[in-house]
Amino acid sequence: MESPVWIDGKKYWELPKAWFNDFVERALAKYSKVYVIQPYREQEKCSPTCQNAIGHECQCSCMGLYHGAGNDGSWLEVSDTFATRWADHELACRLMTAKP
């Protein structure tokens, strides 16, 4: 079984993934609130129809950001109407509170 690791230079604990839910439940039971910092990757969504468009009308979830720009190879085309890609790893901070 893995154990938590203390990251000395940055002063935080890194927990095994399998411990996450139990840790959060115990921390909420004891403190009522807990900040969780975890990896996060934003998913972008668009469509080949939008990326290959010639006109100005865009009804895609990208809100025109990639309209007519084509696919530079970073997009995974799932179908004729859906393409996705993931951004670089970031860190997200969430404040979790115990339910009353």
Side-chain angles (χ1 to χ4, degrees):
M1 175 183 267
E2 294 182 47
S3 297
V5 176
W6 177 250
I7 309 300
D8 196 35
K10 297 185 180 180
K11 301 189 189 258
Y12 67 87
W13 287 100
E14 198 167 271
L15 300 175
K17 193 174 190 176
W19 289 28
F20 182 73
N21 288 331
D22 184 56
F23 169 79
V24 170
E25 291 297 324
R26 289 173 185 247
L28 289 174
K30 184 169 183 173
Y31 302 109
S32 300
K33 295 181 180 182
V34 62
Y35 281 100
V36 175
I37 299 172
Q38 64 189 78
Y40 166 78
R41 289 183 75 182
E42 182 178 359
Q43 181 185 27
E44 294 181 281
K45 300 174 187 170
C46 193
S47 74
T49 305
C50 175
Q51 294 170 351
N52 299 319
I54 296 172
H56 296 287
E57 183 181 351
C58 183
Q59 297 177 2
C60 183
S61 63
C62 80
M63 302 292 292
L65 186 60
Y66 305 110
H67 193 77
N71 185 342
D72 63 2
S74 65
W75 291 90
L76 170 63
E77 292 183 7
V78 178
S79 71
D80 291 341
T81 58
F82 181 72
T84 185
R85 70 178 173 186
W86 295 91
D88 291 333
H89 286 280
E90 301 286 337
L91 290 178
C93 181
R94 302 191 285 168
L95 174 60
M96 301 175 82
T97 57
K99 293 182 180 179

XYZ file of all heavy atoms in Angstrom:
807
model
N 0.844 -1.182 0.000
C 0.000 0.000 0.000
C 0.887 1.243 0.000
O 1.876 1.307 0.706
C -0.914 -0.008 1.231
C -1.739 1.246 1.362
S -2.752 1.285 2.833
C -4.230 0.609 2.174
N 0.510 2.189 -0.802
C 1.263 3.439 -0.871
C 1.017 4.268 0.383
O 0.028 4.109 1.074
C 0.827 4.241 -2.086
C 1.173 3.584 -3.401
C 0.757 4.440 -4.577
O 1.046 5.643 -4.566
O 0.135 3.890 -5.478
N 1.931 5.179 0.645
C 1.803 6.079 1.784
C 1.850 7.517 1.300
O 2.398 7.804 0.232
C 2.954 5.850 2.768
O 2.895 4.549 3.288
N 1.310 8.459 2.105
C 1.437 9.880 1.744
C 2.907 10.278 1.705
O 3.734 9.722 2.417
C 0.714 10.607 2.882
C -0.151 9.585 3.511
C 0.544 8.266 3.323
N 3.219 11.247 0.868
C 4.594 11.738 0.737
C 4.595 13.224 1.061
O 3.793 13.991 0.517
C 5.110 11.511 -0.710
C 6.489 12.111 -0.888
C 5.103 10.036 -1.057
N 5.485 13.642 1.967
C 5.627 15.048 2.320
C 6.540 15.707 1.294
O 7.677 15.283 1.084
C 6.196 15.207 3.717
C 6.427 16.630 4.118
C 7.632 17.248 4.283
C 5.430 17.618 4.398
N 7.451 18.562 4.654
C 6.113 18.812 4.732
C 4.050 17.618 4.397
C 5.458 19.983 5.067
C 3.385 18.784 4.735
C 4.071 19.945 5.061
N 6.046 16.730 0.619
C 6.835 17.475 -0.355
C 7.446 18.651 0.400
O 6.810 19.688 0.578
C 5.966 17.942 -1.548
C 5.172 16.775 -2.145
C 6.827 18.624 -2.597
C 6.001 15.626 -2.685
N 8.684 18.465 0.879
C 9.316 19.398 1.811
C 9.510 20.788 1.240
O 9.193 21.779 1.887
C 10.662 18.832 2.273
C 11.179 19.530 3.517
O 10.339 19.915 4.362
O 12.405 19.699 3.643
N 10.006 20.908 0.029
C 10.281 22.222 -0.554
C 9.028 23.067 -0.736
O 9.096 24.285 -0.750
N 7.884 22.420 -0.866
C 6.640 23.154 -1.095
C 5.661 23.027 0.073
O 4.620 23.650 0.083
C 5.985 22.678 -2.388
C 6.872 22.958 -3.588
C 6.197 22.598 -4.868
C 7.127 22.892 -6.043
N 6.541 22.576 -7.305
N 6.008 22.191 1.059
C 5.253 22.027 2.306
C 3.798 21.608 2.104
O 2.867 22.316 2.470
C 5.343 23.289 3.146
C 6.771 23.633 3.494
C 6.862 24.750 4.499
C 8.266 25.179 4.646
N 9.010 24.770 5.725
N 3.629 20.451 1.498
C 2.299 19.859 1.378
C 2.434 18.340 1.309
O 3.513 17.806 1.058
C 1.546 20.391 0.163
C 2.116 19.990 -1.184
C 1.749 18.796 -1.794
C 3.002 20.820 -1.854
C 2.273 18.435 -3.028
C 3.519 20.471 -3.083
C 3.156 19.271 -3.663
O 3.674 18.921 -4.881
N 1.318 17.664 1.582
C 1.260 16.216 1.486
C 0.719 15.826 0.123
O -0.214 16.430 -0.387
C 0.324 15.627 2.544
C 0.891 15.670 3.921
C 0.609 16.588 4.886
C 1.828 14.758 4.485
N 1.328 16.307 6.022
C 2.086 15.180 5.796
C 2.483 13.628 4.008
C 2.951 14.514 6.643
C 3.347 12.955 4.856
C 3.581 13.405 6.155
N 1.313 14.817 -0.469
C 0.805 14.229 -1.699
C 0.264 12.850 -1.327
O 0.996 11.995 -0.828
C 1.927 14.112 -2.726
C 1.442 13.937 -4.127
C 2.569 14.135 -5.123
O 2.782 15.285 -5.553
O 3.231 13.128 -5.459
N -1.043 12.672 -1.533
C -1.700 11.426 -1.126
C -1.855 10.465 -2.294
O -2.053 10.896 -3.424
C -3.108 11.723 -0.596
C -3.233 12.646 0.599
C -4.700 12.927 0.894
C -2.576 12.025 1.814
N -1.832 9.160 -2.004
C -2.167 8.192 -3.050
C -3.607 8.416 -3.515
O -4.490 8.746 -2.717
C -2.029 6.842 -2.353
C -1.150 7.106 -1.172
C -1.432 8.515 -0.756
N -3.847 8.256 -4.790
C -5.177 8.474 -5.360
C -6.244 7.636 -4.661
O -7.359 8.089 -4.439
C -5.123 8.140 -6.856
C -6.302 8.591 -7.641
C -6.059 8.324 -9.120
C -7.115 8.983 -9.956
N -6.859 8.815 -11.384
N -5.906 6.425 -4.289
C -6.862 5.528 -3.637
C -7.309 6.049 -2.266
O -8.327 5.618 -1.745
C -6.262 4.132 -3.492
N -6.577 6.970 -1.684
C -6.908 7.516 -0.368
C -7.794 8.759 -0.451
O -8.286 9.242 0.561
C -5.634 7.921 0.362
C -4.773 6.806 0.836
C -4.659 5.543 0.304
C -3.870 6.855 1.932
N -3.734 4.825 0.998
C -3.236 5.603 2.010
C -3.529 7.846 2.838
C -2.283 5.311 2.976
C -2.585 7.556 3.793
C -1.974 6.300 3.871
N -7.978 9.326 -1.634
C -8.592 10.638 -1.782
C -9.977 10.746 -1.133
O -10.208 11.617 -0.298
C -8.670 11.030 -3.253
C -9.252 12.398 -3.468
C -8.527 13.534 -3.152
C -10.531 12.550 -3.973
C -9.053 14.797 -3.338
C -11.070 13.814 -4.167
C -10.335 14.932 -3.850
N -10.914 9.895 -1.511
C -12.285 10.010 -0.987
C -12.338 9.860 0.529
O -13.021 10.626 1.211
C -13.206 8.994 -1.661
C -13.493 9.355 -3.096
O -13.491 10.523 -3.457
N -13.730 8.351 -3.909
N -11.616 8.887 1.054
C -11.603 8.679 2.497
C -11.003 9.885 3.215
O -11.531 10.352 4.231
C -10.815 7.413 2.839
C -10.845 7.103 4.319
O -11.964 6.972 4.884
O -9.752 6.999 4.927
N -9.915 10.422 2.673
C -9.284 11.596 3.270
C -10.241 12.783 3.320
O -10.379 13.451 4.340
C -8.014 11.983 2.509
C -7.477 13.325 2.931
C -6.751 13.449 4.100
C -7.737 14.460 2.187
C -6.280 14.688 4.511
C -7.269 15.702 2.593
C -6.534 15.815 3.750
N -10.913 13.053 2.192
C -11.836 14.191 2.136
C -12.972 13.994 3.133
O -13.324 14.921 3.870
C -12.373 14.396 0.703
C -13.507 15.411 0.688
C -11.250 14.861 -0.215
N -13.546 12.798 3.194
C -14.636 12.533 4.142
C -14.187 12.762 5.579
O -14.899 13.388 6.376
C -15.165 11.105 3.967
C -15.905 10.883 2.673
C -17.165 11.735 2.552
O -17.847 11.952 3.568
O -17.448 12.189 1.431
N -13.022 12.264 5.934
C -12.509 12.428 7.311
C -12.195 13.894 7.622
O -12.483 14.387 8.711
C -11.268 11.570 7.525
C -11.574 10.083 7.585
C -10.270 9.299 7.625
N -10.508 7.892 7.558
C -10.265 7.047 8.566
N -9.786 7.494 9.711
N -10.497 5.766 8.418
N -11.586 14.592 6.665
C -11.249 16.007 6.874
C -12.518 16.838 7.026
O -12.583 17.730 7.882
C -10.398 16.523 5.722
N -13.541 16.554 6.221
C -14.805 17.285 6.342
C -15.490 16.993 7.669
O -16.066 17.894 8.287
C -15.732 16.949 5.174
C -15.310 17.519 3.823
C -16.228 16.984 2.724
C -15.326 19.037 3.827
N -15.422 15.753 8.115
C -16.028 15.392 9.402
C -15.343 16.129 10.555
O -15.995 16.569 11.504
C -15.954 13.888 9.619
N -14.040 16.315 10.470
C -13.285 16.961 11.548
C -13.312 18.487 11.464
O -13.464 19.168 12.464
C -11.840 16.462 11.544
C -11.025 17.020 12.689
C -9.700 16.324 12.826
C -8.966 16.868 14.040
N -7.749 16.151 14.336
N -13.142 19.048 10.240
C -12.967 20.494 10.087
C -14.142 21.214 9.418
O -14.162 22.434 9.374
C -11.700 20.786 9.279
C -10.454 20.213 9.905
C -9.811 19.131 9.332
C -9.918 20.755 11.076
C -8.655 18.591 9.896
C -8.778 20.231 11.651
C -8.148 19.151 11.057
O -7.021 18.640 11.622
N -15.081 20.498 8.858
C -16.247 21.043 8.135
C -15.902 21.637 6.763
O -16.750 21.732 5.907
C -16.998 22.101 8.944
O -17.466 21.538 10.127
N -14.655 22.069 6.582
C -14.209 22.627 5.303
C -12.787 22.158 5.037
O -11.998 22.013 5.964
C -14.223 24.156 5.318
C -15.593 24.758 5.454
C -15.525 26.271 5.442
C -16.935 26.838 5.587
N -16.935 28.291 5.535
N -12.478 21.969 3.762
C -11.118 21.577 3.398
C -10.830 22.089 1.986
O -11.686 22.048 1.116
C -10.900 20.044 3.490
C -11.797 19.287 2.539
C -9.448 19.671 3.266
N -9.632 22.645 1.813
C -9.178 23.042 0.481
C -8.464 21.850 -0.147
O -7.620 21.223 0.489
C -8.198 24.218 0.542
C -8.872 25.551 0.721
C -8.931 26.162 1.968
C -9.449 26.205 -0.364
C -9.544 27.393 2.132
C -10.067 27.436 -0.207
C -10.110 28.018 1.043
O -10.717 29.223 1.200
N -8.794 21.566 -1.390
C -8.149 20.489 -2.128
C -7.488 21.104 -3.362
O -8.137 21.806 -4.132
C -9.178 19.413 -2.556
C -8.522 18.362 -3.426
C -9.829 18.780 -1.342
N -6.210 20.850 -3.509
C -5.482 21.299 -4.693
C -5.161 20.045 -5.487
O -4.564 19.101 -4.967
C -4.201 22.057 -4.303
C -4.573 23.291 -3.491
C -3.405 22.432 -5.555
C -3.411 24.018 -2.879
N -5.609 20.035 -6.738
C -5.440 18.829 -7.539
C -5.178 19.173 -8.998
O -5.471 20.280 -9.442
C -6.680 17.945 -7.418
C -7.936 18.579 -7.976
C -9.172 17.771 -7.654
O -9.658 17.831 -6.539
N -9.648 17.015 -8.624
N -4.613 18.213 -9.749
C -4.372 18.446 -11.171
C -5.690 18.671 -11.913
O -6.728 18.124 -11.545
C -3.712 17.145 -11.649
C -3.253 16.467 -10.421
C -4.151 16.911 -9.316
N -5.615 19.475 -12.943
C -6.798 19.830 -13.717
C -6.376 20.047 -15.154
O -5.349 20.661 -15.417
C -7.405 21.111 -13.129
C -8.428 21.782 -14.001
C -9.719 21.292 -14.079
C -8.111 22.909 -14.737
C -10.678 21.919 -14.876
C -9.049 23.537 -15.528
C -10.331 23.031 -15.598
O -11.267 23.641 -16.379
N -7.154 19.526 -16.082
C -6.909 19.774 -17.516
C -8.220 20.212 -18.135
O -9.208 19.489 -18.088
C -6.406 18.516 -18.214
C -4.985 18.166 -17.817
C -4.495 16.978 -18.559
N -4.182 17.350 -19.936
C -3.770 16.487 -20.832
N -3.635 15.225 -20.535
N -3.511 16.884 -22.059
N -8.221 21.386 -18.711
C -9.415 21.912 -19.346
C -9.627 21.212 -20.682
O -8.689 21.000 -21.443
C -9.266 23.416 -19.586
C -10.492 24.043 -20.194
C -10.337 25.546 -20.380
O -9.289 26.095 -20.011
O -11.262 26.146 -20.910
N -10.878 20.849 -20.943
C -11.218 20.233 -22.217
C -11.862 21.278 -23.108
O -12.799 21.951 -22.709
C -12.187 19.069 -22.025
C -12.543 18.387 -23.325
C -13.600 17.305 -23.162
O -14.404 17.359 -22.254
N -13.578 16.331 -24.051
N -11.344 21.420 -24.317
C -11.930 22.320 -25.296
C -12.772 21.492 -26.254
O -12.409 20.368 -26.599
C -10.842 23.056 -26.076
C -10.029 24.002 -25.221
C -8.982 24.709 -26.054
O -7.943 24.092 -26.331
O -9.225 25.862 -26.438
N -13.896 22.058 -26.674
C -14.794 21.363 -27.593
C -15.094 22.260 -28.787
O -15.276 23.455 -28.641
C -16.110 21.005 -26.891
C -15.925 20.100 -25.705
C -17.219 19.903 -24.966
C -16.973 19.141 -23.681
N -18.135 19.120 -22.824
N -15.130 21.651 -29.946
C -15.449 22.350 -31.178
C -15.956 21.297 -32.149
O -16.249 20.174 -31.744
C -14.205 23.075 -31.723
S -14.580 24.279 -33.036
N -16.047 21.617 -33.410
C -16.444 20.621 -34.403
C -15.696 20.875 -35.702
O -15.344 22.017 -36.019
C -17.950 20.672 -34.648
O -18.288 21.811 -35.401
N -15.447 19.810 -36.463
C -14.799 19.995 -37.762
C -15.598 20.936 -38.664
O -15.015 21.714 -39.424
C -14.740 18.574 -38.337
C -14.710 17.690 -37.130
C -15.599 18.389 -36.131
N -16.924 20.881 -38.572
C -17.760 21.774 -39.377
C -17.435 23.229 -39.068
O -17.326 24.062 -39.967
C -19.252 21.500 -39.105
O -19.507 20.123 -39.334
C -20.135 22.344 -39.970
N -17.261 23.547 -37.803
C -16.918 24.909 -37.382
C -15.492 25.256 -37.812
O -15.240 26.309 -38.390
C -17.059 25.037 -35.873
S -16.516 26.623 -35.212
N -14.548 24.363 -37.533
C -13.146 24.631 -37.846
C -12.915 24.821 -39.345
O -12.025 25.557 -39.740
C -12.266 23.502 -37.311
C -12.265 23.436 -35.800
C -11.602 22.176 -35.271
O -11.283 21.258 -36.012
N -11.404 22.132 -33.969
N -13.711 24.150 -40.164
C -13.551 24.235 -41.614
C -14.549 25.192 -42.266
O -14.672 25.227 -43.489
C -13.668 22.838 -42.234
C -12.591 21.911 -41.707
O -11.447 22.308 -41.544
N -12.955 20.689 -41.409
N -15.252 25.974 -41.471
C -16.275 26.887 -41.991
C -15.657 28.008 -42.824
O -14.524 28.423 -42.604
C -17.067 27.483 -40.835
N -16.454 28.487 -43.747
C -16.026 29.603 -44.604
C -16.772 30.881 -44.227
O -16.190 31.949 -44.186
C -16.241 29.255 -46.092
C -15.344 28.077 -46.460
C -15.952 30.458 -46.980
C -15.575 27.504 -47.831
N -18.058 30.787 -43.886
C -18.854 31.960 -43.530
C -18.604 32.418 -42.106
O -17.724 31.919 -41.411
N -19.422 33.370 -41.658
C -19.237 33.961 -40.337
C -20.135 33.370 -39.258
O -19.866 33.549 -38.076
C -19.484 35.480 -40.398
C -18.488 36.180 -41.265
N -17.189 36.374 -40.897
C -18.612 36.707 -42.511
C -16.541 37.003 -41.855
N -17.387 37.212 -42.854
N -21.206 32.679 -39.609
C -22.141 32.157 -38.618
C -21.505 30.997 -37.856
O -20.974 30.064 -38.445
C -23.435 31.679 -39.279
C -24.445 31.200 -38.259
C -25.735 30.706 -38.890
O -25.929 30.876 -40.102
O -26.535 30.144 -38.147
N -21.535 31.079 -36.535
C -20.973 30.024 -35.692
C -21.950 29.732 -34.567
O -22.305 30.620 -33.798
C -19.626 30.443 -35.106
S -18.860 29.119 -34.132
N -22.369 28.484 -34.472
C -23.254 28.053 -33.392
C -22.573 26.982 -32.546
O -23.220 26.210 -31.865
C -24.566 27.532 -33.966
C -25.334 28.591 -34.705
C -26.601 28.042 -35.347
O -26.930 26.877 -35.220
N -27.315 28.912 -36.027
N -21.269 26.923 -32.599
C -20.484 25.904 -31.909
C -20.194 26.349 -30.472
O -20.221 27.546 -30.160
C -19.183 25.701 -32.691
S -18.113 24.419 -32.020
N -19.853 25.384 -29.613
C -19.553 25.720 -28.220
C -18.251 26.502 -28.065
O -17.991 27.066 -27.012
C -19.501 24.447 -27.372
O -18.453 23.606 -27.802
N -17.429 26.584 -29.123
C -16.205 27.394 -29.028
C -16.526 28.883 -29.137
O -15.642 29.722 -28.949
C -15.189 26.975 -30.087
S -15.489 27.633 -31.746
N -17.773 29.210 -29.440
C -18.223 30.599 -29.557
C -17.413 31.382 -30.604
O -17.152 32.560 -30.469
C -18.153 31.317 -28.212
C -18.965 30.665 -27.106
S -20.727 30.776 -27.364
C -20.985 32.506 -27.164
N -16.994 30.678 -31.655
C -16.287 31.328 -32.752
C -14.778 31.393 -32.602
O -14.091 31.862 -33.503
N -14.237 30.928 -31.493
C -12.802 31.020 -31.246
C -11.983 30.290 -32.315
O -10.932 30.765 -32.736
C -12.460 30.475 -29.856
C -11.022 30.624 -29.384
C -10.627 32.095 -29.324
C -10.855 29.991 -28.021
N -12.463 29.120 -32.765
C -11.723 28.322 -33.752
C -12.423 28.297 -35.105
O -12.063 27.531 -35.990
C -11.538 26.889 -33.232
C -10.878 26.882 -31.881
C -11.581 26.526 -30.739
C -9.552 27.286 -31.725
C -10.994 26.550 -29.491
C -8.956 27.317 -30.481
C -9.676 26.948 -29.370
O -9.087 26.984 -28.140
N -13.410 29.162 -35.289
C -14.222 29.193 -36.495
C -13.366 29.473 -37.731
O -12.668 30.485 -37.799
C -15.314 30.262 -36.353
C -16.382 30.176 -37.393
N -17.379 29.235 -37.343
C -16.608 30.909 -38.502
C -18.181 29.399 -38.377
N -17.737 30.402 -39.098
N -13.368 28.526 -38.662
C -12.622 28.685 -39.907
C -11.122 28.516 -39.775
O -10.383 28.732 -40.729
N -10.630 28.132 -38.597
C -9.186 28.042 -38.364
C -8.579 26.722 -38.827
O -7.360 26.601 -38.912
C -8.881 28.240 -36.885
N -9.407 25.710 -39.125
C -8.891 24.400 -39.514
C -8.374 23.630 -38.314
O -8.348 24.138 -37.193
N -7.974 22.389 -38.548
C -7.424 21.543 -37.496
C -5.916 21.500 -37.651
O -5.389 21.009 -38.641
C -8.024 20.132 -37.595
C -7.587 19.234 -36.448
O -6.610 19.515 -35.757
N -8.303 18.145 -36.255
N -5.202 22.001 -36.647
C -3.736 22.027 -36.694
C -3.113 20.703 -36.258
O -1.908 20.606 -36.071
C -3.199 23.175 -35.844
C -3.552 23.031 -34.371
O -4.181 22.023 -33.974
O -3.206 23.949 -33.598
N -3.955 19.680 -36.062
C -3.459 18.376 -35.632
C -3.584 18.143 -34.138
O -3.367 17.038 -33.663
N -3.915 19.176 -33.374
C -4.041 19.017 -31.926
C -5.439 18.564 -31.507
O -5.655 18.228 -30.354
C -3.687 20.324 -31.208
O -4.623 21.338 -31.520
N -6.387 18.565 -32.435
C -7.769 18.184 -32.145
C -8.005 16.716 -32.464
O -7.557 16.217 -33.492
C -8.741 19.022 -32.972
C -8.782 20.447 -32.566
C -7.998 21.456 -33.060
C -9.627 21.041 -31.591
N -8.322 22.639 -32.454
C -9.317 22.408 -31.540
C -10.621 20.547 -30.760
C -9.964 23.291 -30.686
C -11.259 21.424 -29.910
C -10.929 22.776 -29.872
N -8.739 16.025 -31.602
C -9.184 14.665 -31.853
C -10.585 14.759 -32.434
O -11.518 15.172 -31.745
C -9.215 13.844 -30.555
C -9.882 12.474 -30.651
C -9.115 11.559 -31.613
C -9.986 11.844 -29.281
N -10.746 14.412 -33.696
C -12.047 14.468 -34.341
C -12.789 13.180 -34.039
O -12.485 12.119 -34.587
C -11.901 14.705 -35.841
C -11.356 16.086 -36.150
C -11.266 16.394 -37.634
O -11.747 15.595 -38.462
O -10.710 17.459 -37.956
N -13.769 13.278 -33.142
C -14.543 12.130 -32.705
C -15.581 11.758 -33.757
O -15.850 10.595 -33.996
C -15.211 12.421 -31.338
C -16.050 11.257 -30.881
C -14.147 12.773 -30.305
N -16.164 12.750 -34.384
C -17.147 12.545 -35.449
C -17.161 13.790 -36.336
O -16.389 14.722 -36.114
C -18.545 12.303 -34.858
O -19.056 13.498 -34.295
N -18.064 13.807 -37.315
C -18.187 14.984 -38.183
C -18.663 16.211 -37.423
O -18.522 17.339 -37.888
C -19.178 14.715 -39.328
C -18.627 13.711 -40.320
O -17.396 13.499 -40.335
O -19.438 13.144 -41.081
N -19.252 16.003 -36.238
C -19.836 17.121 -35.496
C -19.164 17.378 -34.144
O -19.625 18.217 -33.383
C -21.338 16.871 -35.250
O -21.496 15.643 -34.525
C -22.102 16.802 -36.556
N -18.094 16.656 -33.822
C -17.479 16.836 -32.510
C -15.972 16.609 -32.582
O -15.503 15.604 -33.096
C -18.097 15.871 -31.495
C -17.536 16.003 -30.102
C -17.835 17.108 -29.320
C -16.701 15.039 -29.577
C -17.326 17.246 -28.041
C -16.181 15.161 -28.303
C -16.498 16.260 -27.532
N -15.227 17.566 -32.035
C -13.772 17.444 -31.890
C -13.409 17.942 -30.500
O -14.076 18.816 -29.940
C -13.045 18.262 -32.956
N -12.358 17.400 -29.913
C -11.962 17.789 -28.563
C -10.443 17.791 -28.452
O -9.750 17.140 -29.225
C -12.576 16.839 -27.509
O -12.271 17.326 -26.201
C -12.055 15.418 -27.648
N -9.929 18.536 -27.483
C -8.517 18.486 -27.126
C -8.395 18.903 -25.672
O -9.259 19.566 -25.120
C -7.661 19.346 -28.040
C -7.832 20.835 -27.887
C -6.888 21.563 -28.811
N -7.164 22.988 -28.781
C -6.571 23.854 -29.575
N -5.697 23.439 -30.467
N -6.856 25.136 -29.494
N -7.301 18.498 -25.061
C -7.061 18.785 -23.649
C -5.912 19.763 -23.522
O -4.892 19.632 -24.196
C -6.730 17.496 -22.897
C -7.873 16.555 -22.871
C -8.143 15.559 -23.774
C -8.929 16.525 -21.927
N -9.304 14.921 -23.437
C -9.813 15.486 -22.306
C -9.243 17.274 -20.798
C -10.957 15.180 -21.595
C -10.385 16.960 -20.090
C -11.220 15.929 -20.478
N -6.069 20.722 -22.636
C -5.015 21.712 -22.370
C -3.920 21.071 -21.508
O -4.040 19.929 -21.067
C -5.611 22.919 -21.656
N -2.855 21.821 -21.267
C -1.779 21.341 -20.403
C -2.286 21.171 -18.978
O -3.313 21.722 -18.590
C -0.620 22.342 -20.401
C 0.087 22.387 -21.746
O 0.060 21.383 -22.476
O 0.663 23.440 -22.066
N -1.516 20.420 -18.183
C -1.872 20.226 -16.781
C -1.792 21.549 -16.027
O -0.840 22.299 -16.171
C -0.933 19.222 -16.106
C -1.190 17.816 -16.502
N -2.191 17.077 -15.959
C -0.580 17.021 -17.400
C -2.187 15.878 -16.496
N -1.212 15.812 -17.382
N -2.786 21.826 -15.247
C -2.836 22.995 -14.372
C -3.159 22.488 -12.967
O -3.435 21.317 -12.770
C -3.950 23.959 -14.823
C -3.814 24.465 -16.240
C -2.717 25.505 -16.402
O -2.349 26.149 -15.398
O -2.234 25.657 -17.526
N -3.165 23.371 -11.999
C -3.613 23.019 -10.660
C -4.876 23.798 -10.361
O -4.974 24.980 -10.666
C -2.553 23.350 -9.615
C -1.309 22.480 -9.654
C -0.315 22.950 -8.592
C -1.623 21.024 -9.437
N -5.843 23.116 -9.774
C -7.095 23.758 -9.390
C -7.251 23.652 -7.880
O -6.839 22.655 -7.272
C -8.275 23.067 -10.089
N -7.816 24.670 -7.270
C -8.054 24.688 -5.833
C -9.558 24.744 -5.603
O -10.231 25.615 -6.141
C -7.370 25.902 -5.210
S -7.578 25.986 -3.421
N -10.071 23.791 -4.840
C -11.496 23.763 -4.520
C -11.680 23.839 -3.011
O -10.970 23.182 -2.268
C -12.143 22.450 -4.954
C -12.039 22.099 -6.354
C -12.937 20.921 -6.682
N -12.431 19.646 -6.195
C -13.132 18.536 -6.157
N -14.397 18.528 -6.529
N -12.613 17.412 -5.755
N -12.663 24.615 -2.582
C -13.061 24.618 -1.180
C -14.235 23.672 -1.065
O -15.293 23.892 -1.678
C -13.458 26.020 -0.703
C -14.032 26.076 0.711
C -13.042 25.563 1.741
C -14.476 27.481 1.045
N -14.066 22.613 -0.321
C -15.130 21.640 -0.126
C -15.699 21.844 1.275
O -14.955 22.060 2.233
C -14.589 20.223 -0.313
C -13.986 20.025 -1.699
S -13.221 18.435 -1.927
C -14.669 17.470 -2.306
N -17.016 21.806 1.389
C -17.673 21.992 2.693
C -18.561 20.798 2.992
O -19.145 20.198 2.088
C -18.509 23.279 2.718
O -19.465 23.231 1.669
C -17.636 24.504 2.550
N -18.656 20.481 4.267
C -19.492 19.363 4.704
C -20.955 19.704 4.498
O -21.364 20.851 4.674
C -19.225 19.042 6.167
N -21.729 18.713 4.117
C -23.170 18.925 3.983
C -23.779 18.961 5.368
O -23.395 18.203 6.243
C -23.801 17.784 3.167
C -23.355 17.790 1.730
C -24.024 16.677 0.952
C -23.571 16.677 -0.486
N -24.182 15.592 -1.248
N -24.745 19.872 5.560
C -25.361 19.982 6.905
C -26.182 18.766 7.251
O -26.591 17.984 6.499
C -26.264 21.209 6.789
C -26.270 21.623 5.355
C -25.243 20.825 4.629
